[in-house]
Amino acid sequence: MLGRVTQTTDSTAAAGTPHGLPRRRRVHRAWIVAAVTFVTIIGGAAFNSLPGLLIDPLHTEFGWSRGEIGLAVSIDMALYGLTAPFAAALMDRFGIRKVVVVALSAVAAGALASVWMTAAWQLMLYWGLLVGLGTGSMALAFSATVTNRWFVARRGLVTGILTAAGASGQLVFLPLCAWIVQEHGWRPASVTVALAAVVVVPFVWFLMRDHPADVQLAPYGGTFVEKPAPATGAARRTVRVLLDAARTGPFWLLAGSFAICGASTNGLIRTHFVPSAHDHGMAITAAASLLAVIGIFDIIGTVFSGWLTDRFDARRLLAVYYALRGVSLLFLPMLMAPAVHPPMVFFIVFYGLDWVATVPPTLALCREQYGEDSAIVFGWVLASHQVGAALVAFLGGVARDVTGSYDMVWYASGALCATAALMALMVRRRSEPADALRSAPARPAS
């Protein structure tokens, strides 16, 4: 009976009205949930716009070294990644809404508390711990959970759109925060980020639903399935999935290549591009605007990558993305100058198209290899992404303190991207999606 209800709900145009006119087709609820997810990720991503803008102001005001500030950023990035797989399991246990509301509250608390900090350890506590845990709970594993539950058709496209939400947040908040930092100081910028997280909470609470069965619907493009019972032992299941996946070669190839992805994006460009450009005489607002432009083309590139992932071999797509990224990084030190010039604009556009275009094919490969556990496996792959980002966020600051330049970091990251391209090609193909690591022992239902 539920199946019959679902079919009429999803195909409202098929039934006639009393006057013989077809009913207007309704928008499937999955797209509303995806839109709320998009807005939520934008709100959570606001804080990620700040670290690169605040390195110089914090160094000037408190005298903290760039290595110390980079360490706080690296803690945030590492926790962002390490929280993600547990967040996916917690969403299975307690529901998406509750987990995301708590996460947004943690981001707001950390951003607001940083206004009163006076010591480096407080920076690591507020930026590193609170914001890292909060943003990690709204990481790409959140997108993967929503996509897996609410969509059967258009998964690649939806993954691309939700991944682009982070770039959209960067696009919205980077120029705004850069202007606030320059005109009013870093504290009002931190308050702005806290407010952005708070504003999103009502949207999540009133519009988000944990599962299509909550509203008697089938997933978009699929058939009705009963809502599974809440999974118990979320942390235990998360660790078990990691141990099972770690026995397979594709996991290490995906995790290793994605660690390089994080090192060359969040750890490198997002954290160190603005201070590096400033070293060459470029104004902070100009450098931040270039990062915002990356956000524009990131949206285009990620959505297009999702479209391509539905049609082409994900391994080959990843290899092309990493190879092109590596080549572009090798040229970046030669493009740094006091003013924005056409070659730098070309780099920004090119890098923006490639920024997180890697996510849809990586998630598709996780889904192909690990079936129903793919969201949690992808959470662990994302953890490697953020560990790579954390290392470069810290080591990049140390390299700048020691050598007085970021050039060595750009060159090393370019070489690593070539390695990631080779790793992507080594992932074996499956003709059919895996059924939750078939060789693994039985685990609690999710």
Side-chain angles (χ1 to χ4, degrees), residues 78-165:
L79 284 176
Y80 176 97
L82 293 172
T83 302
F86 292 96
L90 287 172
M91 288 175 189
D92 285 346
R93 175 67 179 87
F94 298 106
I96 296 173
R97 285 197 304 171
K98 292 179 181 178
V99 172
V100 173
V101 166
V102 171
L104 287 167
S105 301
V107 171
L112 191 61
S114 66
V115 171
W116 293 282
M117 65 185 177
T118 56
W121 68 265
Q122 294 171 324
L123 176 69
M124 296 171 192
L125 174 63
Y126 303 145
W127 280 23
L129 182 62
L130 283 177
V131 175
L133 291 173
T135 55
S137 298
M138 297 178 292
L140 294 173
F142 169 38
S143 301
T145 301
V146 170
T147 303
N148 289 349
R149 290 187 184 182
W150 282 90
F151 290 87
V152 173
R154 303 290 187 270
R155 277 179 171 174
L157 177 63
V158 174
T159 299
I161 292 171
L162 295 182
T163 303

Coordinates of all heavy atoms in Angstrom, one line a residue, residues 78-165:
A78 N 42.1 18.9 10.5 CA 42.1 17.5 10.9 C 40.9 17.0 11.5 O 40.3 15.9 11.2 CB 43.4 17.3 11.8
L79 N 40.4 17.8 12.5 CA 39.1 17.4 13.2 C 37.9 17.4 12.2 O 37.0 16.6 12.3 CB 38.8 18.3 14.4 CG 39.7 18.0 15.6 CD1 39.4 19.1 16.7 CD2 39.5 16.6 16.1
Y80 N 38.0 18.4 11.3 CA 36.9 18.4 10.2 C 36.8 17.1 9.5 O 35.8 16.6 9.3 CB 37.3 19.6 9.3 CG 36.4 19.7 8.1 CD1 35.4 20.7 8.1 CD2 36.6 18.9 6.9 CE1 34.5 20.8 7.0 CE2 35.7 19.1 5.8 CZ 34.7 20.0 5.8 OH 33.9 20.2 4.7
G81 N 38.0 16.6 9.2 CA 38.0 15.3 8.5 C 37.7 14.1 9.4 O 37.0 13.2 9.0
L82 N 38.3 14.1 10.6 CA 38.2 12.9 11.4 C 36.8 12.8 12.0 O 36.4 11.7 12.4 CB 39.2 13.0 12.6 CG 40.7 12.8 12.1 CD1 41.6 13.1 13.2 CD2 40.9 11.4 11.5
T83 N 36.1 13.9 12.1 CA 34.7 13.9 12.6 C 33.7 13.4 11.6 O 32.7 12.7 12.0 CB 34.3 15.3 13.0 OG1 35.2 15.8 14.0 CG2 32.9 15.4 13.6
A84 N 34.0 13.6 10.3 CA 33.1 13.3 9.3 C 32.6 11.8 9.3 O 31.3 11.6 9.2 CB 33.7 13.6 7.9
P85 N 33.4 10.8 9.4 CA 32.9 9.4 9.3 C 32.0 9.1 10.5 O 31.0 8.4 10.4 CB 34.1 8.6 9.3 CG 35.2 9.4 9.8 CD 34.9 10.8 9.4
F86 N 32.3 9.7 11.7 CA 31.5 9.5 12.9 C 30.2 10.2 12.8 O 29.1 9.8 13.2 CB 32.2 9.9 14.2 CG 33.4 9.0 14.5 CD1 34.7 9.4 14.1 CD2 33.2 7.8 15.2 CE1 35.8 8.5 14.4 CE2 34.3 7.0 15.5 CZ 35.6 7.4 15.1
A87 N 30.2 11.4 12.1 CA 29.0 12.2 11.9 C 28.0 11.4 11.0 O 26.8 11.4 11.3 CB 29.3 13.5 11.3
A88 N 28.6 10.8 10.0 CA 27.7 10.0 9.1 C 27.0 8.9 9.9 O 25.8 8.6 9.7 CB 28.5 9.4 8.0
A89 N 27.7 8.2 10.8 CA 27.1 7.1 11.6 C 26.1 7.7 12.6 O 25.1 7.1 12.9 CB 28.2 6.4 12.3
L90 N 26.5 8.9 13.2 CA 25.6 9.5 14.2 C 24.3 10.0 13.5 O 23.2 9.9 14.1 CB 26.2 10.8 14.8 CG 27.3 10.4 15.8 CD1 28.1 11.7 16.2 CD2 26.7 9.8 17.1
M91 N 24.4 10.3 12.2 CA 23.1 10.7 11.5 C 22.3 9.5 11.3 O 21.0 9.5 11.3 CB 23.5 11.3 10.1 CG 24.0 12.7 10.2 SD 24.6 13.4 8.6 CE 25.4 14.9 9.2
D92 N 22.9 8.3 11.1 CA 22.1 7.0 11.1 C 21.4 6.8 12.4 O 20.3 6.2 12.5 CB 23.0 5.9 10.7 CG 23.4 5.8 9.3 OD1 22.8 6.6 8.5 OD2 24.4 5.1 8.9
R93 N 22.1 7.2 13.5 CA 21.6 6.8 14.8 C 20.6 7.9 15.3 O 19.5 7.5 15.8 CB 22.8 6.8 15.8 CG 22.4 6.6 17.3 CD 21.7 5.2 17.5 NE 21.4 4.9 18.9 CZ 20.2 5.3 19.4 NH1 19.3 5.9 18.7 NH2 20.0 5.0 20.7
F94 N 20.9 9.1 15.2 CA 20.0 10.2 15.8 C 19.3 11.0 14.8 O 18.4 11.8 15.2 CB 20.9 11.1 16.7 CG 21.5 10.4 17.8 CD1 22.9 10.2 17.8 CD2 20.8 10.0 18.9 CE1 23.5 9.5 18.9 CE2 21.4 9.4 20.0 CZ 22.8 9.1 20.0
G95 N 19.6 10.9 13.5 CA 18.9 11.7 12.5 C 19.8 12.9 12.0 O 20.6 13.4 12.8
I96 N 19.5 13.3 10.8 CA 20.3 14.3 10.2 C 20.1 15.7 10.9 O 21.0 16.4 11.2 CB 20.0 14.5 8.7 CG1 20.4 13.2 8.0 CG2 20.7 15.7 8.1 CD1 19.9 13.2 6.5
R97 N 18.8 16.0 11.2 CA 18.5 17.3 11.7 C 19.2 17.6 13.1 O 19.8 18.6 13.3 CB 16.9 17.4 11.9 CG 16.2 17.6 10.7 CD 14.8 18.1 11.0 NE 14.1 17.2 11.9 CZ 12.9 17.5 12.5 NH1 12.3 18.7 12.2 NH2 12.3 16.7 13.2
K98 N 19.1 16.6 14.0 CA 19.7 16.8 15.3 C 21.2 17.0 15.2 O 21.7 17.9 15.9 CB 19.3 15.7 16.2 CG 17.8 15.6 16.6 CD 17.5 14.4 17.5 CE 16.1 14.3 17.8 NZ 15.7 13.1 18.6
V99 N 21.8 16.2 14.4 CA 23.3 16.3 14.3 C 23.7 17.6 13.7 O 24.7 18.3 14.2 CB 23.8 15.1 13.5 CG1 25.3 15.3 13.2 CG2 23.6 13.8 14.2
V100 N 23.0 18.0 12.7 CA 23.4 19.3 12.0 C 23.1 20.5 12.9 O 23.9 21.5 12.9 CB 22.7 19.4 10.6 CG1 23.0 20.7 10.0 CG2 23.2 18.3 9.7
V101 N 22.0 20.5 13.6 CA 21.7 21.7 14.5 C 22.8 21.8 15.6 O 23.3 22.9 15.9 CB 20.4 21.5 15.1 CG1 20.2 22.5 16.3 CG2 19.3 21.8 14.1
V102 N 23.2 20.7 16.2 CA 24.3 20.7 17.2 C 25.6 21.2 16.5 O 26.3 22.0 17.1 CB 24.5 19.3 17.8 CG1 25.7 19.3 18.7 CG2 23.2 19.0 18.6
A103 N 25.9 20.8 15.3 CA 27.1 21.2 14.6 C 27.1 22.7 14.4 O 28.1 23.3 14.6 CB 27.2 20.4 13.3
L104 N 26.0 23.2 13.9 CA 25.9 24.6 13.6 C 26.1 25.4 14.9 O 26.8 26.5 14.9 CB 24.6 25.0 13.0 CG 24.4 24.6 11.5 CD1 23.0 24.7 11.1 CD2 25.3 25.4 10.6
S105 N 25.6 24.9 16.0 CA 25.8 25.6 17.3 C 27.2 25.6 17.8 O 27.7 26.6 18.3 CB 24.9 24.9 18.4 OG 23.5 24.9 18.0
A106 N 27.9 24.5 17.5 CA 29.4 24.5 17.9 C 30.2 25.4 17.0 O 31.1 26.1 17.6 CB 29.9 23.0 17.7
V107 N 29.9 25.6 15.8 CA 30.6 26.5 14.9 C 30.3 28.0 15.4 O 31.3 28.8 15.5 CB 30.1 26.4 13.4 CG1 30.6 27.6 12.6 CG2 30.6 25.1 12.9
A108 N 29.1 28.3 15.7 CA 28.8 29.6 16.2 C 29.5 29.9 17.5 O 30.0 31.0 17.7 CB 27.2 29.8 16.4
A109 N 29.5 28.9 18.4 CA 30.1 29.1 19.7 C 31.6 29.3 19.6 O 32.2 30.2 20.2 CB 29.9 27.9 20.6
G110 N 32.3 28.5 18.7 CA 33.7 28.7 18.5 C 34.1 30.0 17.9 O 35.0 30.7 18.3
A111 N 33.3 30.4 16.9 CA 33.6 31.7 16.2 C 33.4 32.9 17.1 O 34.2 33.8 17.1 CB 32.7 31.8 15.0
L112 N 32.3 32.8 17.9 CA 32.0 33.9 18.9 C 33.1 34.0 20.0 O 33.5 35.1 20.4 CB 30.6 33.8 19.4 CG 30.1 35.0 20.2 CD1 30.0 36.2 19.3 CD2 28.7 34.6 20.7
A113 N 33.4 32.8 20.6 CA 34.4 32.8 21.7 C 35.8 33.3 21.3 O 36.5 33.9 22.1 CB 34.5 31.4 22.2
S114 N 36.1 33.2 20.0 CA 37.4 33.6 19.5 C 37.6 35.2 19.6 O 38.7 35.7 19.6 CB 37.7 33.2 18.1 OG 36.8 33.8 17.2
V115 N 36.5 35.9 19.7 CA 36.6 37.3 19.8 C 37.3 37.8 21.1 O 38.0 38.8 21.1 CB 35.1 37.9 19.8 CG1 35.2 39.4 20.2 CG2 34.5 37.7 18.5
W116 N 37.2 36.9 22.2 CA 37.9 37.3 23.4 C 39.2 36.6 23.7 O 39.7 36.7 24.8 CB 36.9 37.0 24.6 CG 35.7 37.9 24.5 CD1 35.6 39.2 24.9 CD2 34.4 37.6 24.1 NE1 34.3 39.7 24.7 CE2 33.6 38.7 24.2 CE3 33.8 36.4 23.5 CZ2 32.2 38.7 23.8 CZ3 32.5 36.4 23.1 CH2 31.7 37.6 23.3
M117 N 39.7 35.9 22.7 CA 41.0 35.1 23.0 C 42.2 36.1 23.1 O 42.2 37.2 22.5 CB 41.2 34.1 21.9 CG 41.5 34.7 20.5 SD 41.6 33.4 19.3 CE 41.8 34.4 17.8
T118 N 43.1 35.7 23.9 CA 44.3 36.4 24.2 C 45.6 35.6 24.1 O 46.7 36.1 24.1 CB 44.3 37.1 25.6 OG1 44.1 36.1 26.6 CG2 43.2 38.1 25.7
A119 N 45.4 34.2 23.9 CA 46.6 33.3 23.9 C 46.4 32.3 22.7 O 45.3 32.0 22.3 CB 46.7 32.6 25.2
A120 N 47.5 31.8 22.3 CA 47.5 30.9 21.1 C 46.7 29.6 21.4 O 46.1 29.1 20.5 CB 48.9 30.6 20.7
W121 N 46.8 29.2 22.7 CA 46.1 27.9 23.0 C 44.5 28.1 22.9 O 43.8 27.2 22.6 CB 46.4 27.4 24.4 CG 45.9 28.3 25.5 CD1 46.6 29.3 26.2 CD2 44.6 28.2 26.2 NE1 45.8 29.8 27.2 CE2 44.6 29.2 27.2 CE3 43.5 27.5 26.0 CZ2 43.5 29.4 28.0 CZ3 42.4 27.7 26.8 CH2 42.4 28.7 27.8
Q122 N 44.1 29.3 23.1 CA 42.7 29.6 22.9 C 42.3 29.6 21.4 O 41.2 29.1 21.1 CB 42.3 31.0 23.5 CG 42.5 31.0 25.0 CD 42.3 32.4 25.6 OE1 42.8 33.4 25.0 NE2 41.8 32.6 26.8
L123 N 43.2 30.0 20.6 CA 42.9 29.9 19.2 C 42.8 28.5 18.8 O 41.9 28.1 18.0 CB 44.1 30.6 18.4 CG 44.1 30.5 16.9 CD1 43.0 31.4 16.3 CD2 45.4 30.9 16.3
M124 N 43.6 27.6 19.3 CA 43.6 26.2 19.0 C 42.3 25.6 19.6 O 41.7 24.6 19.0 CB 44.8 25.5 19.5 CG 46.1 26.0 18.9 SD 47.6 25.3 19.6 CE 48.8 26.4 18.9
L125 N 41.8 26.0 20.7 CA 40.6 25.5 21.3 C 39.4 25.9 20.5 O 38.5 25.1 20.2 CB 40.5 25.9 22.8 CG 39.2 25.6 23.5 CD1 39.1 24.0 23.6 CD2 39.1 26.2 24.9
Y126 N 39.3 27.2 20.3 CA 38.1 27.7 19.6 C 38.0 27.4 18.1 O 37.1 26.9 17.6 CB 37.9 29.3 19.8 CG 37.9 29.7 21.3 CD1 38.5 30.9 21.7 CD2 37.3 28.9 22.3 CE1 38.5 31.2 23.0 CE2 37.3 29.2 23.6 CZ 37.9 30.4 24.0 OH 37.9 30.8 25.3
W127 N 39.1 27.8 17.4 CA 39.2 27.5 16.0 C 39.4 26.1 15.7 O 38.7 25.5 14.8 CB 40.3 28.3 15.3 CG 40.0 29.7 15.1 CD1 39.1 30.5 15.6 CD2 40.7 30.5 14.1 NE1 39.1 31.8 15.1 CE2 40.1 31.8 14.2 CE3 41.7 30.3 13.2 CZ2 40.5 32.9 13.4 CZ3 42.1 31.4 12.4 CH2 41.6 32.6 12.5
G128 N 40.3 25.5 16.5 CA 40.7 24.1 16.2 C 39.6 23.1 16.6 O 39.1 22.4 15.8
L129 N 39.3 23.1 17.9 CA 38.4 22.1 18.5 C 36.9 22.3 18.1 O 36.3 21.5 17.5 CB 38.6 22.0 20.0 CG 37.8 20.9 20.7 CD1 38.2 19.5 20.2 CD2 38.0 21.0 22.2
L130 N 36.4 23.4 18.6 CA 34.9 23.6 18.4 C 34.5 23.7 17.0 O 33.6 23.1 16.5 CB 34.5 24.9 19.2 CG 34.4 24.8 20.7 CD1 34.0 26.1 21.3 CD2 33.3 23.7 21.1
V131 N 35.2 24.6 16.2 CA 34.8 24.8 14.8 C 35.2 23.5 14.0 O 34.4 23.2 13.1 CB 35.5 26.0 14.3 CG1 35.2 26.2 12.8 CG2 35.0 27.3 15.0
G132 N 36.3 22.9 14.4 CA 36.6 21.7 13.6 C 35.6 20.6 13.8 O 35.2 19.9 12.8
L133 N 35.1 20.4 15.0 CA 34.1 19.4 15.3 C 32.7 19.8 14.6 O 32.1 18.9 14.0 CB 33.8 19.2 16.8 CG 35.0 18.6 17.6 CD1 34.7 18.6 19.1 CD2 35.2 17.1 17.1
G134 N 32.4 21.1 14.7 CA 31.2 21.5 14.1 C 31.1 21.4 12.5 O 30.2 20.8 12.0
T135 N 32.2 21.9 11.9 CA 32.2 21.9 10.4 C 32.4 20.5 10.0 O 31.9 20.1 8.9 CB 33.3 22.8 9.9 OG1 34.6 22.4 10.5 CG2 33.0 24.2 10.2
G136 N 33.1 19.6 10.7 CA 33.3 18.2 10.3 C 32.0 17.5 10.3 O 31.8 16.6 9.5
S137 N 31.1 17.8 11.2 CA 29.8 17.2 11.2 C 28.9 17.6 10.0 O 27.8 17.0 9.7 CB 29.0 17.5 12.5 OG 29.8 17.0 13.6
M138 N 29.3 18.7 9.3 CA 28.6 19.1 8.1 C 29.5 19.0 6.9 O 29.3 19.7 5.9 CB 28.1 20.6 8.3 CG 27.1 20.8 9.4 SD 26.7 22.5 9.6 CE 28.2 23.2 10.2
A139 N 30.4 18.1 7.0 CA 31.3 17.9 5.9 C 30.7 17.1 4.7 O 29.5 16.9 4.7 CB 32.6 17.2 6.4
L140 N 31.5 16.7 3.8 CA 31.0 16.0 2.6 C 30.3 14.7 2.9 O 29.5 14.2 2.1 CB 32.1 15.8 1.6 CG 32.7 17.1 1.0 CD1 33.9 16.8 0.2 CD2 31.6 17.9 0.2
A141 N 30.6 14.1 4.1 CA 29.8 12.9 4.5 C 28.4 13.3 4.7 O 27.5 12.4 4.5 CB 30.4 12.3 5.7
F142 N 28.1 14.5 5.1 CA 26.7 15.0 5.3 C 26.0 15.0 3.9 O 24.9 14.5 3.7 CB 26.7 16.4 5.9 CG 25.4 17.1 5.9 CD1 24.2 16.5 6.1 CD2 25.4 18.5 5.7 CE1 23.0 17.2 6.1 CE2 24.3 19.2 5.7 CZ 23.0 18.6 5.8
S143 N 26.7 15.5 2.9 CA 26.2 15.5 1.5 C 26.0 14.1 1.0 O 25.0 13.8 0.4 CB 27.2 16.3 0.6 OG 27.3 17.6 1.0
A144 N 26.9 13.2 1.3 CA 26.8 11.8 0.9 C 25.6 11.2 1.5 O 24.9 10.4 0.8 CB 28.1 11.1 1.2
T145 N 25.4 11.4 2.8 CA 24.2 10.8 3.4 C 22.9 11.3 2.8 O 22.0 10.5 2.6 CB 24.3 11.1 4.9 OG1 25.5 10.6 5.5 CG2 23.1 10.5 5.7
V146 N 22.8 12.6 2.6 CA 21.6 13.1 2.0 C 21.4 12.5 0.6 O 20.3 12.1 0.2 CB 21.6 14.7 2.0 CG1 20.5 15.2 1.1 CG2 21.6 15.2 3.4
T147 N 22.5 12.5 -0.2 CA 22.4 12.0 -1.6 C 22.0 10.6 -1.6 O 21.1 10.2 -2.4 CB 23.7 12.2 -2.3 OG1 24.1 13.6 -2.2 CG2 23.6 11.8 -3.7
N148 N 22.6 9.8 -0.8 CA 22.3 8.3 -0.8 C 20.9 8.0 -0.3 O 20.3 7.1 -0.8 CB 23.3 7.6 0.1 CG 24.7 7.5 -0.4 OD1 24.9 7.9 -1.6 ND2 25.7 7.1 0.4
R149 N 20.4 8.8 0.6 CA 19.0 8.5 1.1 C 17.9 9.0 0.2 O 16.9 8.4 0.0 CB 18.8 9.1 2.5 CG 19.6 8.5 3.6 CD 19.2 9.0 4.9 NE 20.0 8.5 6.0 CZ 19.9 8.8 7.3 NH1 18.9 9.6 7.6 NH2 20.7 8.2 8.2
W150 N 18.1 10.2 -0.4 CA 17.0 10.9 -1.1 C 17.1 10.8 -2.6 O 16.1 11.1 -3.2 CB 17.1 12.4 -0.7 CG 16.5 12.6 0.7 CD1 17.1 12.7 1.9 CD2 15.1 12.9 0.9 NE1 16.2 12.9 2.9 CE2 15.0 13.0 2.3 CE3 13.9 13.0 0.2 CZ2 13.7 13.3 3.0 CZ3 12.7 13.2 0.8 CH2 12.6 13.4 2.2
F151 N 18.2 10.3 -3.1 CA 18.3 10.2 -4.6 C 18.8 8.8 -5.0 O 19.7 8.2 -4.4 CB 19.3 11.3 -5.1 CG 18.8 12.7 -5.0 CD1 19.0 13.4 -3.8 CD2 18.1 13.3 -6.0 CE1 18.5 14.7 -3.6 CE2 17.6 14.6 -5.9 CZ 17.8 15.3 -4.7
V152 N 18.2 8.4 -6.1 CA 18.7 7.2 -6.8 C 19.2 7.7 -8.2 O 20.3 7.4 -8.6 CB 17.6 6.1 -7.0 CG1 18.1 5.0 -7.9 CG2 17.3 5.6 -5.6
A153 N 18.3 8.4 -8.9 CA 18.7 9.1 -10.1 C 19.4 10.4 -9.8 O 19.2 11.0 -8.7 CB 17.5 9.3 -11.0
R154 N 20.2 10.9 -10.7 CA 20.9 12.2 -10.6 C 21.9 12.3 -9.4 O 22.1 13.4 -8.9 CB 19.9 13.3 -10.6 CG 18.9 13.4 -11.7 CD 19.6 13.8 -13.0 NE 18.7 14.0 -14.1 CZ 18.3 13.0 -14.9 NH1 18.8 11.8 -14.8 NH2 17.4 13.3 -15.9
R155 N 22.4 11.2 -8.9 CA 23.3 11.3 -7.8 C 24.5 12.0 -8.1 O 25.0 12.8 -7.2 CB 23.6 9.8 -7.3 CG 22.6 9.2 -6.4 CD 23.0 7.8 -6.0 NE 22.1 7.3 -4.9 CZ 22.2 6.1 -4.5 NH1 23.1 5.2 -5.0 NH2 21.3 5.7 -3.5
G156 N 25.1 11.8 -9.2 CA 26.4 12.5 -9.6 C 26.1 14.0 -9.6 O 26.9 14.8 -9.1
L157 N 25.0 14.4 -10.3 CA 24.7 15.9 -10.4 C 24.4 16.5 -9.0 O 25.0 17.6 -8.7 CB 23.4 16.0 -11.2 CG 22.9 17.5 -11.4 CD1 23.9 18.3 -12.1 CD2 21.6 17.5 -12.2
V158 N 23.7 15.8 -8.1 CA 23.4 16.3 -6.8 C 24.7 16.4 -6.0 O 24.9 17.4 -5.3 CB 22.3 15.4 -6.1 CG1 22.1 15.9 -4.7 CG2 21.0 15.5 -6.9
T159 N 25.5 15.4 -6.1 CA 26.8 15.5 -5.4 C 27.6 16.7 -5.8 O 28.2 17.4 -5.0 CB 27.6 14.2 -5.7 OG1 26.9 13.0 -5.2 CG2 29.0 14.2 -5.0
G160 N 27.6 16.9 -7.1 CA 28.3 18.1 -7.6 C 27.7 19.4 -7.1 O 28.5 20.3 -6.6
I161 N 26.4 19.5 -7.0 CA 25.7 20.7 -6.6 C 26.0 20.9 -5.1 O 26.4 22.1 -4.6 CB 24.2 20.7 -6.8 CG1 23.9 20.7 -8.3 CG2 23.5 21.8 -6.1 CD1 22.5 20.4 -8.7
L162 N 25.9 19.9 -4.3 CA 26.1 20.0 -2.8 C 27.6 20.3 -2.5 O 27.9 21.0 -1.6 CB 25.6 18.8 -2.1 CG 24.1 18.5 -2.2 CD1 23.8 17.3 -1.4 CD2 23.3 19.7 -1.7
T163 N 28.5 19.7 -3.3 CA 29.9 20.0 -3.1 C 30.2 21.4 -3.4 O 31.0 22.1 -2.7 CB 30.8 19.1 -4.0 OG1 30.4 17.7 -3.7 CG2 32.2 19.3 -3.7
A164 N 29.5 22.0 -4.4 CA 29.7 23.4 -4.8 C 29.2 24.3 -3.7 O 29.6 25.5 -3.7 CB 29.0 23.7 -6.1
A165 N 28.4 23.8 -2.8 CA 27.9 24.7 -1.7 C 29.0 25.3 -0.9 O 29.0 26.5 -0.5 CB 27.0 24.0 -0.8

